[in-house]
Amino acid sequence: MQCSAISRQPSAKPVWSGHSCPLPLTLVLIFVFSTLSTFGFTQDKPIALKGGKLLTVTHGAIENGVIVMLGGKITAVGAASSVNIPSSAQVIDATGMTIYPGLIDSETQLGLTEISAENMTNDLVELSDEIMPHMHTAEAFHAESALIPVARLNGITNAVVAPEGGDTLPGQDSFIQLAGANATEMLLIRDNAMPLNFTGDERRNKGGFDKRKFPSTRMGLATQLRQAFIDAQDYKSKLTDYERKKADAAQNKKPEPLAPKRDLKLEALIPYLEGKKTIVLAAESPSDLQTAVSLANEFKLKFVLNHIAHSQPVLDYVASLKVPVIVGPIYEAPKEDERYDTVYSLPAQLYKRGVKIVFASYSAHNVRNLPDQAGFAIAFGLPYDEALKAITLNAAEVWGVADQLGSLDVGKTANVVMANGDPLDVKTDVKQVFIQGRAIPMTSRQTQLRDEYSK
């Protein structure tokens, strides 16, 4: 994944390049109603948050700090005594507030579902085949989802949108920003990663023995995956051979050779075979984990691990792989033969072994709980700084956008959260979210209903 991919196409009006739209903390409601109709309005005036506690992630906490945003970027960060605030800036008094980078959810289904019980609102996974790498979440993403403002209200500004499990290769993820006029503005990186699911749930063995079809066993899943990657290797070889013959024909003024028939399924696998993109390898039990990793290594795939909550017996093996691990939701119950804290302590156990971890909600409706998961993990041994990094800088590094997101540093995108307390404390209220320097309306369907029926 190239960090440069985060820039938008020239024809689109990019969220990344917008200007700040300031909001005094005392004028929240006024801003909400005005912004709903003028979100595209840009303003060159800088915004300065002054007097709050800055959790920079990369260089510690700064008491009584200042952060300046201009043109969608962070232009200054530091102690109030050392930062020169531009005379044209709108200064927001952040005394008593905690200011930190926007949070990143490393796997969600935001924009792919609205009402779980209504199939017409669900675009979660294409179940007509098990091998579907040419499916793109970017083509189903619903930017107007009422679930997105709910997530923003608790400080989440970016997320990886992934198809739901059910297929071994269900399609490709997208990296999004939770603000924009439409899907084009919100989809920052198309096809940034691809899940490879090997949990056993992908077997086609439901509905009785007489309705089983291939692959109905784990052996079948592994065989089918292996054949898919072998076919992709062969397809890549044919494309390479065609390009070679085409160049030779052009040089020697010969007729152009016939191009191979295009295969979208195999074509989609080539960047992963070449190590240019990341596989998100999901396996729960130790045996499934080792089989899936062996398969990934067979084809030299670049991968991160996912859904390994019940692989505690092989955590030393996991550490030896030296790859990041996505954890969560840590509220999952342990299995009958596991300790009560097996799932809760997993983040700490991985950290102690030197594994880089990131958190994910694995949901569309509960993305807002992402910081609470990180806070909960602290109670079971994960250091505070590592918990915060797991939903900020670590996630940005894993998804190739650390030069833009994940910390309060000059030059990074101004995705900034201002809250009245610790970001990992469930009692904390987020007072304002800035996405690319724009103050975002702090409303959702839930707050609207609250206000309507509390009159």
Side-chain angles (χ1 to χ4, degrees), residues 29 38 98 145 291 322-323:
L29 292 178
T38 60
T98 301
S145 172
T291 299
K322 300 187 183 304
V323 298

Side-chain angles (χ1 to χ4, degrees), residues 49-339:
L49 307 181
K50 180 180 179 181
K53 178 181 180 180
L54 307 183
L55 302 181
T56 66
V57 179
T58 51
H59 48 280
I62 301 175
E63 301 287 350
N64 189 22
V66 170
I67 180 168
V68 180
M69 299 173 282
L70 176 62
K73 299 289 185 180
I74 298 172
T75 58
V77 178
S81 59
S82 64
V83 174
N84 292 321
I85 299 175
S87 58
S88 61
Q90 177 166 2
V91 180
I92 297 175
D93 184 5
T95 303
M97 297 290 166
T98 301
I99 299 166
Y100 50 94
L103 309 182
I104 303 171
D105 190 333
S106 287
E107 184 170 322
T108 175
Q109 282 80 49
L110 270 178
L112 302 184
T113 182
E114 200 68 23
I115 304 171
S116 300
E118 176 50 63
N119 288 335
M120 289 297 292
T121 70
N122 294 326
D123 273 323
L124 292 166
V125 64
E126 176 59 60
L127 289 173
S128 56
D129 195 358
E130 300 79 38
I131 308 295
M132 304 295 279
H134 50 318
M135 300 293 106
H136 308 276
T137 56
E139 295 176 343
F141 179 71
H142 180 58
E144 294 77 21
S145 172
L147 304 178
I148 291 174
V150 177
R152 288 196 307 238
L153 283 179
N154 212 21
I156 292 85
T157 61
N158 296 85
V160 174
V161 176
E164 197 175 52
D167 294 336
T168 45
L169 293 175
Q172 300 189 60
D173 299 349
S174 300
F175 189 83
I176 68 166
Q177 182 160 272
L178 272 60
N182 50 48
T184 301
E185 286 191 357
M186 296 174 70
L187 289 162
L188 300 182
I189 308 177
R190 176 188 170 98
D191 303 339
N192 71 305
M194 181 172 64
L196 190 162
N197 299 317
F198 200 82
T199 65
D201 290 338
E202 303 79 26
R203 294 175 293 172
R204 275 22 182 189
N205 62 356
K206 299 175 178 63
F209 182 82
D210 58 328
K211 296 183 179 179
R212 298 196 331 175
K213 65 175 184 177
F214 179 80
S216 63
T217 63
R218 283 177 170 80
M219 292 183 292
L221 293 176
T223 299
Q224 188 183 54
L225 282 166
R226 182 174 288 107
Q227 187 64 58
F229 284 110
I230 289 173
D231 290 346
Q233 287 177 328
D234 182 59
Y235 181 69
K236 178 186 174 183
S237 296
K238 289 179 180 178
L239 289 177
T240 301
D241 187 55
Y242 164 70
E243 293 296 335
R244 180 184 60 78
K245 290 180 179 179
K246 182 179 177 180
D248 181 68
Q251 184 176 359
N252 296 292
K253 299 181 179 180
K254 297 179 181 179
E256 187 173 308
L258 184 65
K261 181 180 178 180
R262 192 171 182 188
D263 190 317
L264 293 179
K265 181 180 292 187
L266 300 179
E267 186 177 290
L269 292 175
I270 290 177
Y272 299 93
L273 285 170
E274 294 175 339
K276 295 178 180 178
K277 294 184 179 181
T278 302
I279 290 285
V280 181
L281 197 63
E284 291 184 356
S285 69
S287 59
D288 285 348
L289 174 63
Q290 291 170 320
T291 299
V293 169
S294 177
L295 186 68
N297 288 337
E298 181 179 339
F299 293 97
K300 298 180 173 59
L301 304 177
K302 174 186 175 183
F303 64 92
V304 301
L305 290 178
N306 200 8
H307 290 300
I308 66 165
H310 304 291
S311 293
Q312 287 271 8
V314 293
L315 291 187
D316 288 338
Y317 167 72
V318 170
S320 72
L321 299 174
K322 300 187 183 304
V323 298
V325 175
I326 305 173
V327 294
I330 62 173
Y331 314 119
E332 182 180 350
K335 293 186 176 181
E336 292 180 357
D337 59 343
E338 294 178 333
R339 282 175 52 95

Side-chain angles (χ1 to χ4, degrees), residues 5 33 117 202 335 343 349 358 389:
F33 291 109
E202 303 79 26
K335 293 186 176 181
V343 179
Q349 292 294 332
V358 298
K389 285 173 63 178

